[in-house]
Short mmCIF file of all heavy atoms in Angstrom, two decimals:
data_model
loop_
_atom_site.label_atom_id
_atom_site.label_comp_id
_atom_site.label_asym_id
_atom_site.label_seq_id
_atom_site.Cartn_x
_atom_site.Cartn_y
_atom_site.Cartn_z
N GLY N 105 117.50 113.84 132.72
CA GLY N 105 117.99 114.61 131.57
C GLY N 105 119.35 115.19 131.91
O GLY N 105 119.84 115.14 133.04
N PHE N 106 120.00 115.81 130.90
CA PHE N 106 121.26 116.45 131.08
C PHE N 106 121.08 117.77 131.86
O PHE N 106 120.14 118.50 131.67
CB PHE N 106 121.99 116.72 129.79
CG PHE N 106 122.35 115.49 129.03
CD1 PHE N 106 121.85 115.08 127.88
CD2 PHE N 106 123.42 114.66 129.64
CE1 PHE N 106 122.26 113.95 127.21
CE2 PHE N 106 123.75 113.46 129.00
CZ PHE N 106 123.21 113.15 127.76
N GLU N 107 122.08 118.05 132.74
CA GLU N 107 121.99 119.30 133.53
C GLU N 107 122.11 120.54 132.67
O GLU N 107 121.76 121.64 133.10
CB GLU N 107 122.99 119.27 134.66
CG GLU N 107 124.46 119.24 134.19
CD GLU N 107 125.45 119.03 135.34
OE1 GLU N 107 124.96 118.66 136.48
OE2 GLU N 107 126.61 119.19 135.14
N THR N 108 122.64 120.38 131.42
CA THR N 108 122.76 121.48 130.50
C THR N 108 121.52 121.71 129.62
O THR N 108 121.45 122.61 128.86
CB THR N 108 123.96 121.24 129.56
OG1 THR N 108 123.78 119.97 128.97
CG2 THR N 108 125.29 121.29 130.29
N SER N 109 120.52 120.82 129.73
CA SER N 109 119.50 120.84 128.71
C SER N 109 118.50 121.96 129.01
O SER N 109 118.20 122.36 130.11
CB SER N 109 118.75 119.43 128.69
OG SER N 109 117.64 119.48 129.51
N GLY N 110 117.84 122.45 127.93
CA GLY N 110 116.90 123.49 128.03
C GLY N 110 115.67 123.07 128.75
O GLY N 110 114.87 123.89 129.23
N GLY N 111 115.40 121.75 128.87
CA GLY N 111 114.22 121.26 129.50
C GLY N 111 114.46 120.80 130.93
O GLY N 111 113.65 120.03 131.48
N ARG N 112 115.58 121.24 131.53
CA ARG N 112 115.92 120.69 132.86
C ARG N 112 114.94 121.02 133.92
O ARG N 112 114.81 120.27 134.89
CB ARG N 112 117.35 121.09 133.26
CG ARG N 112 117.54 122.62 133.38
CD ARG N 112 119.00 122.98 133.59
NE ARG N 112 119.30 124.31 133.56
CZ ARG N 112 119.36 125.03 132.49
NH1 ARG N 112 119.27 124.52 131.28
NH2 ARG N 112 119.58 126.36 132.54
N LEU N 113 114.10 122.02 133.72
CA LEU N 113 113.11 122.32 134.75
C LEU N 113 112.05 121.21 134.84
O LEU N 113 111.41 121.09 135.88
CB LEU N 113 112.31 123.69 134.38
CG LEU N 113 113.19 124.93 134.70
CD1 LEU N 113 112.37 126.14 134.29
CD2 LEU N 113 113.53 125.02 136.19
N PHE N 114 111.88 120.46 133.84
CA PHE N 114 110.89 119.33 133.86
C PHE N 114 111.49 118.02 134.31
O PHE N 114 110.86 117.03 134.34
CB PHE N 114 110.29 119.18 132.41
CG PHE N 114 109.50 120.32 131.92
CD1 PHE N 114 109.99 121.18 131.05
CD2 PHE N 114 108.17 120.47 132.40
CE1 PHE N 114 109.20 122.31 130.59
CE2 PHE N 114 107.41 121.51 131.96
CZ PHE N 114 107.91 122.44 131.08
N THR N 115 112.82 118.04 134.65
CA THR N 115 113.44 116.79 135.03
C THR N 115 113.35 116.65 136.57
O THR N 115 113.21 117.55 137.34
CB THR N 115 114.94 116.79 134.66
OG1 THR N 115 115.54 117.84 135.30
CG2 THR N 115 115.12 116.86 133.19
N THR N 116 113.42 115.34 136.95
CA THR N 116 113.48 115.08 138.43
C THR N 116 114.87 114.66 138.80
O THR N 116 115.20 114.60 140.00
CB THR N 116 112.56 113.86 138.80
OG1 THR N 116 112.91 112.74 138.04
CG2 THR N 116 111.09 114.27 138.57
N ARG N 117 115.75 114.41 137.85
CA ARG N 117 117.17 114.12 138.11
C ARG N 117 118.03 114.57 136.95
O ARG N 117 117.65 114.39 135.77
CB ARG N 117 117.34 112.62 138.32
CG ARG N 117 118.79 112.23 138.67
CD ARG N 117 118.86 110.98 139.49
NE ARG N 117 118.31 109.79 138.80
CZ ARG N 117 118.95 109.05 137.94
NH1 ARG N 117 120.23 109.32 137.69
NH2 ARG N 117 118.42 108.01 137.37
N ARG N 118 119.15 115.23 137.22
CA ARG N 118 119.98 115.79 136.20
C ARG N 118 121.36 115.13 136.16
O ARG N 118 121.91 114.90 137.23
CB ARG N 118 120.15 117.33 136.36
CG ARG N 118 118.84 117.99 136.20
CD ARG N 118 118.85 119.39 136.73
NE ARG N 118 117.45 119.86 136.87
CZ ARG N 118 117.08 120.95 137.40
NH1 ARG N 118 117.99 121.85 137.89
NH2 ARG N 118 115.77 121.27 137.55
N VAL N 119 121.81 114.80 135.00
CA VAL N 119 123.03 114.04 134.85
C VAL N 119 124.08 115.01 134.16
O VAL N 119 123.69 115.79 133.25
CB VAL N 119 122.78 112.82 133.91
CG1 VAL N 119 124.05 112.10 133.51
CG2 VAL N 119 121.83 111.88 134.59
N PRO N 120 125.32 115.00 134.59
CA PRO N 120 126.35 115.85 133.99
C PRO N 120 126.48 115.48 132.44
O PRO N 120 126.38 114.37 132.01
CB PRO N 120 127.66 115.52 134.73
CG PRO N 120 127.25 114.90 135.97
CD PRO N 120 125.90 114.20 135.74
N TYR N 121 126.66 116.56 131.66
CA TYR N 121 126.91 116.42 130.23
C TYR N 121 128.42 116.33 130.02
O TYR N 121 129.08 117.33 130.13
CB TYR N 121 126.27 117.58 129.45
CG TYR N 121 126.34 117.45 127.97
CD1 TYR N 121 125.38 116.80 127.26
CD2 TYR N 121 127.42 118.09 127.24
CE1 TYR N 121 125.41 116.68 125.86
CE2 TYR N 121 127.41 118.00 125.84
CZ TYR N 121 126.44 117.33 125.18
OH TYR N 121 126.46 117.27 123.83
N ALA N 122 128.90 115.15 129.82
CA ALA N 122 130.38 114.91 129.81
C ALA N 122 130.94 115.41 128.49
O ALA N 122 130.98 114.67 127.49
CB ALA N 122 130.71 113.47 130.02
N ARG N 123 131.37 116.66 128.45
CA ARG N 123 131.88 117.29 127.20
C ARG N 123 133.08 116.58 126.63
O ARG N 123 133.32 116.60 125.44
CB ARG N 123 132.23 118.77 127.41
CG ARG N 123 131.04 119.60 127.74
CD ARG N 123 131.28 121.09 127.64
NE ARG N 123 130.13 121.82 128.10
CZ ARG N 123 129.01 122.02 127.34
NH1 ARG N 123 128.99 121.62 126.14
NH2 ARG N 123 128.00 122.61 127.91
N ASP N 124 133.84 115.86 127.45
CA ASP N 124 135.10 115.23 126.98
C ASP N 124 134.79 113.79 126.46
O ASP N 124 135.69 113.08 126.07
CB ASP N 124 136.13 115.17 128.06
CG ASP N 124 135.64 114.44 129.31
OD1 ASP N 124 134.34 114.31 129.47
OD2 ASP N 124 136.45 114.00 130.11
N GLN N 125 133.55 113.35 126.46
CA GLN N 125 133.20 112.04 126.05
C GLN N 125 132.50 112.03 124.65
O GLN N 125 131.94 113.02 124.26
CB GLN N 125 132.29 111.35 127.03
CG GLN N 125 132.88 111.14 128.38
CD GLN N 125 134.01 110.13 128.35
OE1 GLN N 125 134.12 109.28 127.51
NE2 GLN N 125 134.92 110.26 129.34
#
Side-chain angles (χ1 to χ4, degrees):
F106 291 117
E107 60 189 14
T108 52
S109 95
R112 60 189 174 280
L113 284 179
F114 293 103
T115 59
T116 56
R117 182 153 61 85
R118 294 166 198 171
V119 173
Y121 185 83
R123 292 193 187 280
D124 58 339
Q125 296 293 337

